[in-house]
Amino acid sequence: MEKLLADRTRQIDASGIRKVFALAEKLKDPVNFSIGQPDFDVPDELKEEAIKAIKAGQNKYSQTAGEEALKEKIAERIKKEIGWERSAVLVTSGVSGGLLLAFMALINPGDEVIIPDPYFVIYKHLVNMLGGKCVFVDSYPSFQLPLEKIRRAVTDKTKLIIINSPSNPTGVVYSEERIKAVAKIAAKKKIIVLSDEIYEKFCYEGDCPSIANYYERVLLLRGFSKSYAMSGWRLGYAAVNETLKNVIEEMTKIQQYTFVCAPSPFQKAAMAALDYDVSSFVAAYRKKRDLIYEGLKDKFELVRPGGAFYVFVKSPAKTATEFVEKAIANNVLIIPGNVFSEKDTHFRISYATSDEKIKRGIEILRRLA
Ligand code: PMP
C-alpha cells in the first residue's frame, strides 16, 4: 500500500473530523453543532434560475474562466465595493477550487505561507501538499490578527499571507486598523495577501472590512456556498486588481486542465444571486449568534463573534478532544480545535441550526462545563 500511494497522501490527515462524523452516525437526533453550512435552503427564485438554465440547454462547458456576463457582473460589484477600476475575474468551483488554483499558481516548494492560527483547515493541507511551508502565527486568545507575530514571520521566502475574515473557526471579524497594518507589512515586500471572504455576508456589526480596500496585491476569494446556501452547487470566484492579472491568467490555465469550468447552469443562477438580498437570513443568524453567546458566556471562555456562524470556545477539560468526546457522549456534536489549529485547547461550535437545537445544545454544554 505504501508503494502504491503517492508520498503527498501522507501529508494529509483528515482523522479529526472523520472521528466526529463516525461517532455522529451512531447518535439519534443529536444536536449537530459540527456542520459548516447554513441550515436554510437556496431561495426559490434562485432555484428557478438554475432550473430555467438547465431547461434552456445551458448544460455544456462554459468558458474556462466563467460566463462573460457573470464575470462582468462580478467585476462591476468589485468596482463598487472595492474601487478597483479594472479587475480580472475567474469563476471557480467553490472557494475550495479557487484555493487550489491559487496555491498551484503561486507556491513553489519551500515557499512560506503565513497563516494565522486557528485557520480553515484546507489551507494547511493544500500548502503542504504542494511542498510549501506553513508558517503559523498564533492568534489566541483574541483571534485578532497578531501583527507583531506576522511582522516577525516575514522572511525572504514569504510568498503569501492568508487572511480569512469573518473567520472559520472563530467567527472573529478582523478590525479595520489591523487589516490596514497587515497591508502595510505586506506592502514592504510586495507580498500577496490571499483574502478568503466566503463569510462576507454573515457580518453582524456593520460592514466587515476587506483588505482589498487598502492594498492592491490582494487575491480575493469569495463564494456562493454560504451566502445563498448553495454549497452543493460548487461556485465561487477569484478576483484581483489589474496589477495582478497574470495570477488570474495562470489560475485560469490550470483550471483548464483540472476543473475545466465551474458548473455552467449554476453560473446563470449566480448572476441572480448577486442581486439577491440575504439580509433577512443574516438577521436570523445574528439572533442565533446572540443566543449561543449569551447562553455560554458565563460558563465558558469565548470571544463574541462578529460574523460567520461559528464560535470557538475554550475547553473546560485539559484537551479539547477530551471535552468533545464527553459532549458527543451527551449527544452534542462539536469539533475539537486541533482540526483547525496546532493547539487542542478550544472547540468549534457551528450554530447554523434551528433555535430549538441551539437551546438544547446550550443546556447540555452548560451541564458539562
Ligand atoms: N473558506 C472557508 C473559510 C470555508 O469555511 C469554506 C467552507 N467550509 C471554504 C473556504 C470552501 O467553501 P466552498 O468550496 O464551498 O466555496
Side-chain angles (χ1 to χ4, degrees):
M1 207 60 178
E2 285 283 299
K3 281 216 173 107
L4 180 75
L5 298 172
D7 293 346
R8 74 176 69 87
T9 59
R10 259 177 266 140
Q11 308 223 353
I12 302 177
D13 174 19
S15 59
I17 288 190
R18 225 168 21 220
K19 212 163 136 194
V20 173
F21 287 141
L23 286 167
E25 267 185 6
K26 296 181 198 134
L27 300 181
K28 233 182 88 201
D29 192 28
V31 174
N32 194 344
F33 281 155
S34 72
I35 295 182
Q37 59 187 338
D39 71 323
F40 54 88
D41 197 4
V42 176
D44 280 343
E45 292 96 307
L46 304 182
K47 284 184 190 166
E48 287 305 326
E49 288 297 320
I51 292 165
K52 255 184 357 207
I54 289 171
K55 287 195 168 158
Q58 191 174 330
N59 300 303
K60 312 262 193 305
Y61 302 128
S62 73
Q63 294 288 319
T64 305
E67 290 292 337
E68 211 47 51
L70 175 58
K71 284 194 329 181
E72 273 170 26
K73 193 154 185 159
I74 291 168
E76 248 170 60
R77 191 185 151 200
I78 286 173
K79 186 170 162 186
K80 204 165 112 217
E81 285 181 16
I82 314 280
W84 289 344
E85 263 318 303
R86 267 188 286 275
S87 50
V89 175
L90 166 64
V91 182
T92 58
S93 288
V95 172
S96 306
L99 284 165
L100 178 65
L101 297 175
F103 294 153
M104 287 185 83
L106 292 170
I107 297 175
N108 273 324
D111 282 351
E112 293 176 357
V113 181
I114 296 177
I115 306 174
D117 175 348
Y119 44 78
F120 173 48
V121 64
I122 269 192
Y123 308 148
K124 169 178 170 170
H125 293 304
L126 291 185
V127 170
N128 284 341
M129 207 159 74
L130 294 169
K133 186 177 165 221
C134 297
V135 178
F136 297 112
V137 285
D138 188 312
S139 75
Y140 292 80
S142 72
F143 308 122
Q144 269 298 331
L145 283 168
L147 296 177
E148 207 31 59
K149 288 179 193 151
I150 293 175
R151 205 170 280 127
R152 272 188 271 126
V154 172
T155 72
D156 289 342
K157 289 193 176 154
T158 306
K159 198 54 170 291
L160 212 55
I161 299 173
I162 300 181
I163 65 175
N164 167 222
S165 176
S167 150
N168 176 10
T170 68
V172 163
V173 172
Y174 293 148
S175 70
E176 190 171 5
E177 191 192 340
R178 289 194 189 226
I179 278 181
K180 280 184 182 165
V182 166
K184 243 189 187 162
I185 296 169
K188 263 194 185 156
K189 289 203 168 181
K190 291 187 156 186
I191 298 166
I192 296 178
V193 177
L194 186 154
S195 185
D196 178 346
E197 300 180 4
I198 193 165
Y199 296 102
E200 49 150 351
K201 299 274 186 220
F202 296 88
C203 202
Y204 308 131
E205 321 284 340
D207 285 342
C208 293
S210 167
I211 192 160
N213 284 107
Y214 310 106
Y215 188 44
E216 281 197 341
R217 298 174 74 78
V218 170
L219 174 50
L220 191 62
L221 297 183
R222 288 182 174 177
F224 297 84
S225 290
K226 316 286 173 175
S227 308
Y228 311 98
M230 300 173 175
S231 52
W233 290 12
R234 311 307 308 132
L235 279 177
Y237 61 88
V240 295
N241 185 297
E242 202 185 14
T243 48
L244 279 187
K245 74 173 192 298
N246 60 336
V247 175
I248 287 290
E249 280 163 14
E250 294 310 311
M251 286 171 67
T252 306
K253 235 197 278 175
I254 304 170
Q255 170 133 295
Q256 188 178 340
Y257 295 127
T258 52
F259 300 95
V260 180
C261 63
S264 63
F266 299 133
Q267 291 188 44
K268 244 327 196 291
M271 294 271 291
L274 288 170
D275 291 328
Y276 192 86
D277 178 11
V278 291
S279 54
S280 61
F281 295 123
V282 175
Y285 270 59
R286 184 184 292 112
K287 281 200 186 130
K288 290 182 197 292
R289 187 274 313 259
D290 292 340
L291 194 60
I292 194 95
Y293 177 71
E294 295 301 325
L296 296 178
K297 69 173 189 198
D298 61 324
K299 288 271 190 182
F300 291 87
E301 208 179 304
L302 73 166
V303 176
R304 185 166 178 265
F309 31 75
Y310 308 108
V311 261
F312 206 53
V313 185
K314 183 147 189 227
S315 160
K318 211 168 176 184
T319 66
T321 301
E322 211 176 294
F323 185 73
V324 168
E325 279 167 13
K326 211 158 107 182
I328 292 174
N330 284 273
N331 234 26
V332 178
L333 292 173
I334 49 181
I335 312 258
N338 62 354
V339 168
F340 317 96
S341 176
E342 303 304 290
K343 292 186 182 182
D344 191 29
T345 53
H346 288 60
F347 59 91
R348 188 190 78 175
I349 291 176
S350 160
Y351 54 83
T353 183
S354 69
D355 292 2
E356 181 265 324
K357 281 269 165 82
I358 295 174
K359 284 179 193 157
R360 235 173 71 202
I362 290 171
E363 213 180 280
I364 299 168
L365 289 174
R366 289 180 67 89
R367 248 197 295 118
L368 300 177

Short mmCIF file of all heavy atoms in Angstrom, two decimals, residues 90-148:
data_model
loop_
_atom_site.label_atom_id
_atom_site.label_comp_id
_atom_site.label_asym_id
_atom_site.label_seq_id
_atom_site.Cartn_x
_atom_site.Cartn_y
_atom_site.Cartn_z
N LEU A 90 -12.05 35.17 -12.18
CA LEU A 90 -12.15 33.76 -12.59
C LEU A 90 -13.26 33.12 -11.76
O LEU A 90 -13.24 33.20 -10.52
CB LEU A 90 -10.80 33.06 -12.30
CG LEU A 90 -10.76 31.54 -12.34
CD1 LEU A 90 -11.06 31.01 -13.74
CD2 LEU A 90 -9.38 31.04 -11.89
N VAL A 91 -14.23 32.52 -12.44
CA VAL A 91 -15.30 31.81 -11.73
C VAL A 91 -14.78 30.40 -11.42
O VAL A 91 -14.27 29.71 -12.31
CB VAL A 91 -16.58 31.75 -12.58
CG1 VAL A 91 -17.70 31.05 -11.81
CG2 VAL A 91 -17.03 33.15 -12.98
N THR A 92 -14.87 30.02 -10.14
CA THR A 92 -14.23 28.77 -9.69
C THR A 92 -15.25 27.76 -9.17
O THR A 92 -16.40 28.11 -8.91
CB THR A 92 -13.23 29.08 -8.55
OG1 THR A 92 -13.95 29.72 -7.49
CG2 THR A 92 -12.10 29.98 -9.03
N SER A 93 -14.80 26.54 -9.02
CA SER A 93 -15.64 25.52 -8.41
C SER A 93 -15.56 25.66 -6.89
O SER A 93 -14.81 24.97 -6.21
CB SER A 93 -15.17 24.13 -8.82
OG SER A 93 -15.48 23.90 -10.16
N GLY A 94 -16.33 26.58 -6.39
CA GLY A 94 -16.29 26.89 -4.96
C GLY A 94 -15.01 27.63 -4.61
O GLY A 94 -14.09 27.75 -5.44
N VAL A 95 -14.97 28.14 -3.38
CA VAL A 95 -13.74 28.80 -2.93
C VAL A 95 -12.63 27.75 -2.78
O VAL A 95 -11.46 28.03 -3.01
CB VAL A 95 -13.99 29.57 -1.61
CG1 VAL A 95 -12.69 30.09 -1.02
CG2 VAL A 95 -14.94 30.73 -1.87
N SER A 96 -13.02 26.52 -2.47
CA SER A 96 -12.02 25.44 -2.39
C SER A 96 -11.28 25.30 -3.71
O SER A 96 -10.05 25.16 -3.74
CB SER A 96 -12.67 24.10 -2.05
OG SER A 96 -13.45 24.20 -0.90
N GLY A 97 -12.02 25.33 -4.82
CA GLY A 97 -11.40 25.26 -6.14
C GLY A 97 -10.46 26.43 -6.34
O GLY A 97 -9.34 26.28 -6.85
N GLY A 98 -10.91 27.62 -5.95
CA GLY A 98 -10.09 28.83 -6.07
C GLY A 98 -8.80 28.72 -5.26
O GLY A 98 -7.74 29.14 -5.71
N LEU A 99 -8.91 28.14 -4.07
CA LEU A 99 -7.72 28.00 -3.21
C LEU A 99 -6.70 27.08 -3.87
O LEU A 99 -5.51 27.39 -3.92
CB LEU A 99 -8.13 27.42 -1.84
CG LEU A 99 -8.81 28.40 -0.89
CD1 LEU A 99 -9.49 27.66 0.26
CD2 LEU A 99 -7.81 29.41 -0.34
N LEU A 100 -7.16 25.96 -4.39
CA LEU A 100 -6.23 25.02 -5.02
C LEU A 100 -5.53 25.68 -6.21
O LEU A 100 -4.30 25.62 -6.34
CB LEU A 100 -6.95 23.74 -5.47
CG LEU A 100 -6.06 22.73 -6.19
CD1 LEU A 100 -4.98 22.19 -5.26
CD2 LEU A 100 -6.86 21.56 -6.76
N LEU A 101 -6.30 26.36 -7.05
CA LEU A 101 -5.70 27.02 -8.22
C LEU A 101 -4.73 28.12 -7.80
O LEU A 101 -3.65 28.26 -8.38
CB LEU A 101 -6.80 27.61 -9.11
CG LEU A 101 -7.79 26.61 -9.73
CD1 LEU A 101 -8.89 27.36 -10.48
CD2 LEU A 101 -7.08 25.63 -10.66
N ALA A 102 -5.11 28.87 -6.78
CA ALA A 102 -4.24 29.96 -6.32
C ALA A 102 -2.92 29.39 -5.82
O ALA A 102 -1.84 29.87 -6.18
CB ALA A 102 -4.93 30.74 -5.20
N PHE A 103 -2.99 28.35 -5.00
CA PHE A 103 -1.75 27.78 -4.45
C PHE A 103 -0.91 27.15 -5.56
O PHE A 103 0.30 27.25 -5.57
CB PHE A 103 -2.07 26.75 -3.37
CG PHE A 103 -2.72 27.33 -2.13
CD1 PHE A 103 -3.55 26.55 -1.33
CD2 PHE A 103 -2.51 28.65 -1.77
CE1 PHE A 103 -4.14 27.07 -0.19
CE2 PHE A 103 -3.10 29.19 -0.63
CZ PHE A 103 -3.92 28.40 0.16
N MET A 104 -1.59 26.49 -6.50
CA MET A 104 -0.83 25.87 -7.59
C MET A 104 -0.13 26.93 -8.43
O MET A 104 0.98 26.72 -8.92
CB MET A 104 -1.75 25.02 -8.47
CG MET A 104 -2.16 23.73 -7.77
SD MET A 104 -3.11 22.65 -8.82
CE MET A 104 -1.82 21.83 -9.72
N ALA A 105 -0.79 28.06 -8.60
CA ALA A 105 -0.21 29.12 -9.42
C ALA A 105 0.90 29.88 -8.69
O ALA A 105 1.76 30.48 -9.34
CB ALA A 105 -1.29 30.10 -9.86
N LEU A 106 0.90 29.87 -7.36
CA LEU A 106 1.81 30.76 -6.63
C LEU A 106 2.91 30.07 -5.84
O LEU A 106 3.97 30.66 -5.61
CB LEU A 106 1.00 31.64 -5.67
CG LEU A 106 0.09 32.68 -6.31
CD1 LEU A 106 -0.83 33.31 -5.26
CD2 LEU A 106 0.90 33.76 -7.00
N ILE A 107 2.68 28.85 -5.38
CA ILE A 107 3.61 28.27 -4.40
C ILE A 107 4.62 27.31 -5.04
O ILE A 107 4.24 26.32 -5.66
CB ILE A 107 2.82 27.55 -3.29
CG1 ILE A 107 1.98 28.57 -2.53
CG2 ILE A 107 3.77 26.83 -2.32
CD1 ILE A 107 1.08 27.97 -1.50
N ASN A 108 5.87 27.64 -4.85
CA ASN A 108 6.96 26.73 -5.20
C ASN A 108 7.34 25.94 -3.96
O ASN A 108 7.15 26.43 -2.84
CB ASN A 108 8.19 27.53 -5.65
CG ASN A 108 8.14 27.85 -7.12
OD1 ASN A 108 7.67 27.04 -7.92
ND2 ASN A 108 8.64 29.01 -7.48
N PRO A 109 7.92 24.75 -4.13
CA PRO A 109 8.41 24.03 -2.95
C PRO A 109 9.35 24.92 -2.14
O PRO A 109 10.19 25.61 -2.70
CB PRO A 109 9.16 22.83 -3.55
CG PRO A 109 8.50 22.61 -4.88
CD PRO A 109 8.11 23.97 -5.38
N GLY A 110 9.12 24.93 -0.85
CA GLY A 110 9.97 25.74 0.04
C GLY A 110 9.44 27.14 0.29
O GLY A 110 9.87 27.82 1.23
N ASP A 111 8.48 27.59 -0.50
CA ASP A 111 7.90 28.92 -0.26
C ASP A 111 7.11 28.92 1.06
O ASP A 111 6.46 27.93 1.41
CB ASP A 111 6.92 29.30 -1.39
CG ASP A 111 7.64 29.76 -2.64
OD1 ASP A 111 8.87 29.95 -2.59
OD2 ASP A 111 6.97 29.92 -3.68
N GLU A 112 7.17 30.06 1.72
CA GLU A 112 6.48 30.14 3.03
C GLU A 112 5.15 30.88 2.91
O GLU A 112 5.03 31.87 2.20
CB GLU A 112 7.39 30.85 4.02
CG GLU A 112 8.63 30.02 4.34
CD GLU A 112 9.62 30.72 5.26
OE1 GLU A 112 9.39 31.90 5.63
OE2 GLU A 112 10.64 30.09 5.59
N VAL A 113 4.18 30.36 3.63
CA VAL A 113 2.85 30.95 3.64
C VAL A 113 2.48 31.26 5.09
O VAL A 113 2.45 30.35 5.93
CB VAL A 113 1.81 29.99 3.02
CG1 VAL A 113 0.44 30.63 3.02
CG2 VAL A 113 2.23 29.58 1.62
N ILE A 114 2.25 32.53 5.37
CA ILE A 114 1.91 32.92 6.74
C ILE A 114 0.40 32.76 6.96
O ILE A 114 -0.41 33.28 6.18
CB ILE A 114 2.36 34.38 7.02
CG1 ILE A 114 3.89 34.45 6.91
CG2 ILE A 114 1.88 34.85 8.39
CD1 ILE A 114 4.46 35.86 7.08
N ILE A 115 0.07 32.01 7.99
CA ILE A 115 -1.34 31.68 8.24
C ILE A 115 -1.66 31.90 9.73
O ILE A 115 -1.06 31.26 10.59
CB ILE A 115 -1.64 30.19 7.90
CG1 ILE A 115 -1.20 29.87 6.47
CG2 ILE A 115 -3.11 29.86 8.13
CD1 ILE A 115 -1.33 28.38 6.11
N PRO A 116 -2.59 32.81 10.04
CA PRO A 116 -2.99 32.95 11.44
C PRO A 116 -3.62 31.64 11.93
O PRO A 116 -4.41 31.02 11.23
CB PRO A 116 -4.03 34.09 11.41
CG PRO A 116 -3.72 34.86 10.17
CD PRO A 116 -3.23 33.84 9.19
N ASP A 117 -3.24 31.25 13.14
CA ASP A 117 -3.74 30.02 13.76
C ASP A 117 -4.69 30.42 14.87
O ASP A 117 -4.28 31.22 15.72
CB ASP A 117 -2.51 29.25 14.30
CG ASP A 117 -2.90 27.99 15.09
OD1 ASP A 117 -4.07 27.80 15.42
OD2 ASP A 117 -1.98 27.21 15.39
N PRO A 118 -5.93 29.91 14.96
CA PRO A 118 -6.54 28.85 14.13
C PRO A 118 -6.88 29.30 12.70
O PRO A 118 -7.01 30.48 12.43
CB PRO A 118 -7.81 28.50 14.90
CG PRO A 118 -8.12 29.67 15.75
CD PRO A 118 -6.81 30.31 16.07
N TYR A 119 -7.05 28.30 11.84
CA TYR A 119 -7.20 28.53 10.40
C TYR A 119 -8.22 27.57 9.81
O TYR A 119 -8.52 26.53 10.39
CB TYR A 119 -5.84 28.30 9.72
CG TYR A 119 -5.15 27.05 10.23
CD1 TYR A 119 -5.53 25.80 9.80
CD2 TYR A 119 -4.17 27.13 11.24
CE1 TYR A 119 -4.94 24.65 10.31
CE2 TYR A 119 -3.58 25.98 11.76
CZ TYR A 119 -3.98 24.74 11.30
OH TYR A 119 -3.42 23.61 11.83
N PHE A 120 -8.70 27.91 8.61
CA PHE A 120 -9.55 26.98 7.86
C PHE A 120 -8.64 25.87 7.35
O PHE A 120 -7.62 26.13 6.71
CB PHE A 120 -10.24 27.71 6.70
CG PHE A 120 -11.01 26.81 5.77
CD1 PHE A 120 -11.88 25.86 6.27
CD2 PHE A 120 -10.87 26.92 4.39
CE1 PHE A 120 -12.59 25.03 5.41
CE2 PHE A 120 -11.57 26.10 3.53
CZ PHE A 120 -12.43 25.14 4.05
N VAL A 121 -9.03 24.65 7.65
CA VAL A 121 -8.11 23.51 7.57
C VAL A 121 -7.56 23.23 6.16
O VAL A 121 -6.44 22.74 6.01
CB VAL A 121 -8.80 22.28 8.21
CG1 VAL A 121 -10.01 21.85 7.43
CG2 VAL A 121 -7.83 21.13 8.38
N ILE A 122 -8.31 23.59 5.14
CA ILE A 122 -7.84 23.34 3.76
C ILE A 122 -6.48 24.01 3.50
O ILE A 122 -5.63 23.46 2.82
CB ILE A 122 -8.89 23.87 2.73
CG1 ILE A 122 -9.89 22.77 2.38
CG2 ILE A 122 -8.23 24.33 1.46
CD1 ILE A 122 -10.77 23.11 1.18
N TYR A 123 -6.28 25.23 4.05
CA TYR A 123 -5.05 25.97 3.74
C TYR A 123 -3.82 25.11 4.04
O TYR A 123 -2.92 24.98 3.23
CB TYR A 123 -4.92 27.26 4.57
CG TYR A 123 -6.10 28.21 4.55
CD1 TYR A 123 -6.39 28.99 5.67
CD2 TYR A 123 -6.91 28.33 3.43
CE1 TYR A 123 -7.45 29.86 5.67
CE2 TYR A 123 -7.98 29.21 3.43
CZ TYR A 123 -8.25 29.97 4.56
OH TYR A 123 -9.31 30.84 4.57
N LYS A 124 -3.83 24.57 5.24
CA LYS A 124 -2.66 23.82 5.70
C LYS A 124 -2.38 22.62 4.79
O LYS A 124 -1.25 22.41 4.35
CB LYS A 124 -2.92 23.35 7.13
CG LYS A 124 -1.93 22.34 7.65
CD LYS A 124 -2.25 21.99 9.09
CE LYS A 124 -1.43 20.81 9.57
NZ LYS A 124 -1.58 20.62 11.02
N HIS A 125 -3.42 21.87 4.49
CA HIS A 125 -3.18 20.64 3.75
C HIS A 125 -2.80 20.90 2.30
O HIS A 125 -1.95 20.21 1.75
CB HIS A 125 -4.40 19.72 3.87
CG HIS A 125 -4.58 19.24 5.28
ND1 HIS A 125 -3.59 18.57 5.95
CD2 HIS A 125 -5.60 19.36 6.16
CE1 HIS A 125 -3.99 18.29 7.17
NE2 HIS A 125 -5.21 18.76 7.33
N LEU A 126 -3.41 21.89 1.68
CA LEU A 126 -3.05 22.18 0.29
C LEU A 126 -1.63 22.74 0.19
O LEU A 126 -0.87 22.37 -0.70
CB LEU A 126 -4.05 23.15 -0.35
CG LEU A 126 -5.46 22.61 -0.62
CD1 LEU A 126 -6.28 23.65 -1.37
CD2 LEU A 126 -5.43 21.31 -1.41
N VAL A 127 -1.29 23.63 1.09
CA VAL A 127 0.05 24.21 1.06
C VAL A 127 1.09 23.09 1.26
O VAL A 127 2.06 22.99 0.52
CB VAL A 127 0.22 25.32 2.13
CG1 VAL A 127 1.68 25.74 2.27
CG2 VAL A 127 -0.64 26.53 1.78
N ASN A 128 0.84 22.23 2.24
CA ASN A 128 1.77 21.11 2.47
C ASN A 128 1.87 20.20 1.26
O ASN A 128 2.94 19.77 0.87
CB ASN A 128 1.30 20.26 3.67
CG ASN A 128 1.61 20.95 4.99
OD1 ASN A 128 2.44 21.85 5.04
ND2 ASN A 128 0.93 20.53 6.04
N MET A 129 0.72 19.93 0.66
CA MET A 129 0.70 19.01 -0.46
C MET A 129 1.54 19.53 -1.63
O MET A 129 2.11 18.76 -2.39
CB MET A 129 -0.76 18.82 -0.91
CG MET A 129 -1.02 17.51 -1.57
SD MET A 129 -2.77 17.10 -1.50
CE MET A 129 -3.42 18.20 -2.70
N LEU A 130 1.61 20.86 -1.75
CA LEU A 130 2.37 21.45 -2.85
C LEU A 130 3.83 21.71 -2.48
O LEU A 130 4.57 22.32 -3.25
CB LEU A 130 1.70 22.76 -3.30
CG LEU A 130 0.31 22.55 -3.92
CD1 LEU A 130 -0.41 23.87 -4.08
CD2 LEU A 130 0.43 21.86 -5.27
N GLY A 131 4.21 21.27 -1.30
CA GLY A 131 5.61 21.43 -0.89
C GLY A 131 5.91 22.79 -0.28
O GLY A 131 7.07 23.11 -0.03
N GLY A 132 4.87 23.59 -0.07
CA GLY A 132 5.07 24.87 0.60
C GLY A 132 5.22 24.66 2.10
O GLY A 132 5.03 23.55 2.60
N LYS A 133 5.58 25.75 2.79
CA LYS A 133 5.76 25.63 4.23
C LYS A 133 4.80 26.58 4.94
O LYS A 133 4.83 27.79 4.69
CB LYS A 133 7.21 25.97 4.59
CG LYS A 133 7.51 25.74 6.03
CD LYS A 133 8.98 26.03 6.35
CE LYS A 133 9.12 26.15 7.85
NZ LYS A 133 10.00 27.23 8.27
N CYS A 134 3.94 26.02 5.77
CA CYS A 134 3.02 26.87 6.53
C CYS A 134 3.76 27.48 7.70
O CYS A 134 4.42 26.77 8.46
CB CYS A 134 1.87 26.04 7.11
SG CYS A 134 0.83 25.28 5.86
N VAL A 135 3.65 28.79 7.83
CA VAL A 135 4.23 29.46 9.00
C VAL A 135 3.04 29.99 9.80
O VAL A 135 2.41 30.97 9.42
CB VAL A 135 5.16 30.62 8.56
CG1 VAL A 135 5.72 31.34 9.76
CG2 VAL A 135 6.28 30.09 7.66
N PHE A 136 2.73 29.29 10.87
CA PHE A 136 1.54 29.66 11.64
C PHE A 136 1.87 30.77 12.62
O PHE A 136 2.92 30.76 13.26
CB PHE A 136 1.01 28.44 12.41
CG PHE A 136 0.55 27.33 11.50
CD1 PHE A 136 1.23 26.14 11.44
CD2 PHE A 136 -0.56 27.51 10.68
CE1 PHE A 136 0.82 25.12 10.59
CE2 PHE A 136 -0.98 26.50 9.83
CZ PHE A 136 -0.28 25.31 9.78
N VAL A 137 0.97 31.74 12.71
CA VAL A 137 1.12 32.78 13.71
C VAL A 137 -0.08 32.69 14.66
O VAL A 137 -1.23 32.78 14.25
CB VAL A 137 1.24 34.19 13.07
CG1 VAL A 137 2.61 34.39 12.45
CG2 VAL A 137 0.16 34.44 12.02
N ASP A 138 0.25 32.47 15.91
CA ASP A 138 -0.74 32.20 16.94
C ASP A 138 -1.62 33.44 17.18
O ASP A 138 -1.09 34.53 17.41
CB ASP A 138 0.04 31.83 18.21
CG ASP A 138 -0.84 31.33 19.32
OD1 ASP A 138 -1.86 31.99 19.60
OD2 ASP A 138 -0.52 30.28 19.91
N SER A 139 -2.93 33.28 17.10
CA SER A 139 -3.80 34.45 17.33
C SER A 139 -4.66 34.29 18.58
O SER A 139 -5.60 35.06 18.79
CB SER A 139 -4.68 34.70 16.10
OG SER A 139 -5.72 33.75 16.02
N TYR A 140 -4.34 33.30 19.41
CA TYR A 140 -5.06 33.13 20.67
C TYR A 140 -4.69 34.27 21.61
O TYR A 140 -3.57 34.78 21.52
CB TYR A 140 -4.65 31.81 21.35
CG TYR A 140 -5.11 30.57 20.63
CD1 TYR A 140 -4.41 30.08 19.52
CD2 TYR A 140 -6.22 29.85 21.06
CE1 TYR A 140 -4.82 28.92 18.87
CE2 TYR A 140 -6.62 28.68 20.41
CZ TYR A 140 -5.92 28.23 19.32
OH TYR A 140 -6.32 27.08 18.68
N PRO A 141 -5.49 34.70 22.55
CA PRO A 141 -6.86 34.27 22.78
C PRO A 141 -7.90 35.18 22.13
O PRO A 141 -9.07 34.88 22.15
CB PRO A 141 -6.99 34.35 24.31
CG PRO A 141 -6.08 35.50 24.67
CD PRO A 141 -5.00 35.55 23.64
N SER A 142 -7.46 36.32 21.51
CA SER A 142 -8.46 37.26 20.99
C SER A 142 -8.88 36.86 19.57
O SER A 142 -9.93 37.24 19.09
CB SER A 142 -7.88 38.68 20.95
OG SER A 142 -6.92 38.78 19.90
N PHE A 143 -7.99 36.14 18.88
CA PHE A 143 -8.19 35.72 17.48
C PHE A 143 -8.18 36.88 16.50
O PHE A 143 -8.58 36.74 15.35
CB PHE A 143 -9.44 34.84 17.31
CG PHE A 143 -9.47 33.69 18.28
CD1 PHE A 143 -10.53 33.52 19.16
CD2 PHE A 143 -8.43 32.79 18.32
CE1 PHE A 143 -10.54 32.47 20.07
CE2 PHE A 143 -8.43 31.72 19.22
CZ PHE A 143 -9.49 31.56 20.09
N GLN A 144 -7.74 38.05 16.98
CA GLN A 144 -7.50 39.16 16.04
C GLN A 144 -6.17 38.92 15.32
O GLN A 144 -5.40 38.06 15.73
CB GLN A 144 -7.44 40.49 16.81
CG GLN A 144 -8.78 41.20 16.92
CD GLN A 144 -9.38 41.60 15.58
OE1 GLN A 144 -8.68 41.87 14.62
NE2 GLN A 144 -10.71 41.65 15.52
N LEU A 145 -5.91 39.64 14.24
CA LEU A 145 -4.65 39.47 13.52
C LEU A 145 -3.47 39.79 14.44
O LEU A 145 -3.38 40.91 14.96
CB LEU A 145 -4.62 40.41 12.31
CG LEU A 145 -5.45 39.98 11.11
CD1 LEU A 145 -5.58 41.12 10.11
CD2 LEU A 145 -4.85 38.75 10.44
N PRO A 146 -2.55 38.84 14.64
CA PRO A 146 -1.41 39.07 15.54
C PRO A 146 -0.29 39.80 14.80
O PRO A 146 0.61 39.18 14.25
CB PRO A 146 -1.00 37.65 15.94
CG PRO A 146 -1.41 36.80 14.78
CD PRO A 146 -2.56 37.49 14.08
N LEU A 147 -0.35 41.13 14.81
CA LEU A 147 0.51 41.94 13.94
C LEU A 147 2.00 41.73 14.16
O LEU A 147 2.75 41.54 13.21
CB LEU A 147 0.18 43.42 14.11
CG LEU A 147 -1.25 43.82 13.70
CD1 LEU A 147 -1.48 45.29 13.98
CD2 LEU A 147 -1.45 43.52 12.21
N GLU A 148 2.39 41.77 15.43
CA GLU A 148 3.82 41.64 15.72
C GLU A 148 4.35 40.30 15.25
O GLU A 148 5.42 40.19 14.66
CB GLU A 148 4.04 41.85 17.23
CG GLU A 148 5.40 42.38 17.61
CD GLU A 148 6.04 43.31 16.57
OE1 GLU A 148 5.43 44.35 16.23
OE2 GLU A 148 7.16 42.98 16.07
#
